[in-house]
Amino acid sequence: MAGSGHAAKADPSIAEQTYLVLRELAEAGGIGQGKVLIVGASTSEVAGVRIGTGGALEVAQQLLSGVRRAAEEFGFSPVFQCCEHLNRAIVMERRLLEQLGLTEVSAVPIPGAGGSLGAAAYREMTDPVLAETVQAHAGVDIGETLIGMHLRRVAVPFRTSLRYIGEARVNSAYTRPPLIGGERAVYRQQEDNGSKLCD
């Protein structure tokens, strides 16, 4: 309250909100060294306007700051989805593209064709490249940019405690291998219990 003598607690910054969301997701999904996490974001939505109408590199820089902090803490490789104008291609380091054997596509993302986050990520990377697609182990969608096409099967929705970054709604998921085998299948290592042989 004004005049109460107590300093008002400021809301977390966009960078801090991003870090907190990614930290929760990484902990829940076991997303660490050797894992790929995709980030799709509308900086317009974060700033409180309709997607595609108010992109801002300044907002993108704050998002990247939070992503970098979480990636350094947990060891995952962050990659970034471009907008629809570049067919939602993925910005990543060339070493990761080559390690994963992905298909490179030729474009340089800019705010008007690729999106502010993709453009900012491309500028900050050591040897940036665009991949046609990726199969990420987890992902965060900030502002409903639809990252599902770049997630591995099977996606497990995860509700973080923060549901917004800035003014943008947040959705996230980690993935798990598909379960196969039917009613006799087991999914954790166990001691021999005398079950019938399969062959």
Side-chain angles (χ1 to χ4, degrees), residues 61-81:
Q61 294 291 347
Q62 294 179 66
L63 294 170
L64 284 173
S65 176
V67 172
R68 276 196 309 270
R69 181 178 168 193
E72 288 168 3
E73 181 175 333
F74 289 92
F76 61 77
S77 296
V79 299
F80 302 89
Q81 178 179 265

Side-chain angles (χ1 to χ4, degrees), residues 5-155:
H6 296 286
K9 185 177 178 182
D11 288 336
S13 67
I14 289 169
E16 181 71 11
Q17 291 171 17
T18 305
Y19 163 71
L20 292 172
V21 164
L22 289 174
R23 184 182 73 185
E24 279 191 38
L25 176 60
E27 288 175 345
I31 309 303
Q33 196 71 38
K35 301 292 179 74
V36 176
L37 186 147
I38 186 164
V39 180
S42 164
T43 58
S44 299
E45 292 281 341
V46 173
V49 295
R50 186 171 56 83
I51 189 169
T53 64
L57 287 171
E58 297 80 11
V59 172
Q61 294 291 347
Q62 294 179 66
L63 294 170
L64 284 173
S65 176
V67 172
R68 276 196 309 270
R69 181 178 168 193
E72 288 168 3
E73 181 175 333
F74 289 92
F76 61 77
S77 296
V79 299
F80 302 89
Q81 178 179 265
C82 290
C83 73
E84 181 267 337
H85 295 91
L86 292 187
N87 294 342
R88 307 210 182 281
I90 310 302
V91 180
M92 63 179 62
E93 293 282 3
R94 182 174 296 279
R95 61 173 171 70
L96 182 62
L97 177 129
E98 293 174 351
Q99 175 188 327
L100 298 176
L102 302 177
T103 301
E104 180 181 351
V105 291
S106 294
V108 174
I110 59 172
S116 294
L117 181 64
Y122 192 93
R123 290 180 186 180
E124 285 200 359
M125 289 184 179
T126 304
D127 189 7
V129 66
L130 291 189
E132 185 174 28
T133 188
V134 71
Q135 293 293 292
H137 299 90
V140 174
D141 184 331
I142 304 165
E144 299 172 311
T145 62
L146 301 179
I147 61 168
M149 66 190 287
H150 297 302
L151 288 176
R152 292 179 170 214
R153 297 181 65 228
V154 172

